[in-house]
Amino acid sequence: MTRGLVIGEALIDIVDHVEHVGGSPLNVAVGLARLGRGVDFLTRIGDDERGRRIAEYVKRSGAQLVPGSTSADRTPTAVATIAADGSAAYTFDLDWQLSGTPEVTPPLFAHTGSIAAVREPGCLAVAALLDAYRVSATLTFDPNVRPSFIADGDMARDRIARLVERSDIVKASDEDLRWIDPEHEPEWTARAWLASGPAVVVVTMGERGALAFCEAGRARVAARPVAVVDTVGAGDAFMVGLLDALWGFLGADRRAALRRIGLDALTAALESASLMSALTVGRAGADLPDRAALRAHSTGTGN
């Protein structure tokens, strides 16, 4: 097993009337593929002009679109509004469904998040697939909450909690955690999540850096200084950097090793994820860097 599987939405982001390929899970699949990792991507798009644009974008990245992913009546869209600080808010037009068993070999890891994790009826199929893949795969999850898209907050919180319990690696922003558990500070919620099952729980905090919790304790890194163009894809890029840095810990046969990860290794993974995110927010849209760009900045030769 050398390939990962990402399950979730792909769509067209519309920013200032300009269309970009987007979707949180798509960004994770494409970002890992740009780093040379083998990735299959299961989604639901239409066999229309926008859907073909997404399919070509995925192919160019080096990821593989799972057969059956082009079964929607139309390709989803998200209209993004960019605030003065570069943050983005979205209005979605998306019908999320999955059917059948994906035509992929047992994956090294299976990742999901965002709308795919809470939107009926597809979220039910996603949860079933993760349960099936847990025999072979590390399960990874990023709730990436979209409150404007959630009709029943309590039901969404319950589904998120169940996915957290099943997962080995969970990454969430402090904003996600405040929405999910407004009664507690994000760090308290992250520690509670760790106790519920995962080996690693990571909290991103924007300009205040990132925290991670594991059996060995707590790790923290500062945010990298960067001129922010916009924050579209920032969290997805962080997830990509985290998975890439933890690649040697992925796979069900490495589950025990992941649970014993030391703070030095976890801190190094946070640093790698932070760099990936910083490079992405310095570009317009979710334009995640490739391996060459990462190496250039890691060695101090990047712009």
Side-chain angles (χ1 to χ4, degrees):
M1 297 177 296
T2 59
R3 299 181 65 81
L5 174 66
V6 177
I7 307 169
E9 69 271 12
L11 45 80
I12 295 294
D13 281 326
I14 304 172
V15 185
D16 293 332
H17 306 290
V18 178
E19 297 192 355
H20 307 273
V21 174
S24 176
L26 175 141
N27 291 336
V28 173
V30 166
L32 285 167
R34 286 182 178 178
L35 297 182
R37 301 300 191 181
V39 182
D40 296 306
F41 179 44
L42 175 63
T43 190
R44 179 177 166 82
I45 55 177
D47 185 14
D48 50 25
E49 182 178 350
R50 284 169 166 164
R52 288 188 287 273
R53 180 179 175 187
I54 289 171
E56 179 59 28
Y57 182 82
V58 170
K59 181 180 178 181
R60 283 201 312 270
S61 77
Q64 298 290 325
L65 201 63
V66 174
S69 291
T70 56
S71 59
D73 292 336
R74 66 184 183 279
T75 296
T77 59
V79 179
T81 303
I82 307 299
D85 63 357
S87 62
Y90 299 88
T91 303
F92 294 93
D93 176 16
L94 184 150
D95 174 31
W96 176 240
Q97 299 184 48
L98 290 176
S99 61
T101 302
E103 297 178 23
V104 295
T105 57
L108 182 69
F109 74 88
H111 172 79
T112 196
S114 198
I115 294 168
V118 297
R119 179 72 167 182
E120 289 189 349
C123 66
L124 305 177
V126 171
L129 286 173
L130 293 180
D131 281 345
Y133 287 130
R134 198 173 193 279
V135 176
S136 69
T138 298
L139 301 187
T140 72
F141 175 48
D142 176 5
N144 196 11
V145 177
R146 305 298 191 190
S148 64
F149 201 76
I150 295 173
D152 188 329
D154 289 339
M155 183 177 290
R157 290 180 179 95
D158 184 58
R159 285 176 174 153
I160 288 168
R162 290 202 302 270
L163 284 172
V164 168
E165 291 169 2
R166 291 183 176 108
S167 297
D168 300 293
I169 300 171
V170 179
K171 191 278 295 180
S173 71
D174 53 355
E175 290 182 356
D176 289 337
L177 294 176
R178 287 192 176 95
W179 184 88
I180 292 165
D181 186 358
E183 301 299 319
H184 295 98
E185 287 299 310
E187 182 169 337
W188 187 98
T189 305
R191 290 183 182 275
W193 279 6
L194 185 74
S196 75
V200 174
V201 175
V202 177
V203 183
T204 58
M205 304 179 296
E207 63 184 13
R208 295 186 295 116
L211 292 169
F213 303 91
C214 66
E215 191 175 85
R218 174 182 180 271
R220 181 166 188 170
V221 298
R224 289 175 177 263
V226 61
V228 176
V229 175
D230 64 51
T231 62
V232 178
D236 305 326
F238 193 99
M239 191 79 219
V240 168
L242 187 67
L243 289 174
D244 180 62
L246 296 176
W247 200 264
F249 289 94
L250 302 182
D253 61 335
R254 301 289 294 163
R255 187 164 278 130
L258 178 64
R259 193 163 294 278
R260 295 192 305 268
I261 190 170
L263 292 182
D264 287 347
L266 189 54
T267 301
L270 292 181
E271 292 283 8
S272 296
S274 179
L275 173 59
M276 191 81 180
S277 186
L279 294 180
T280 300
V281 301
R283 306 176 177 189
D287 183 14
L288 280 68
D290 59 15
R291 183 71 69 189
L294 273 187
R295 286 175 179 153
H297 282 265
S298 294
T299 58
T301 59
N303 294 326

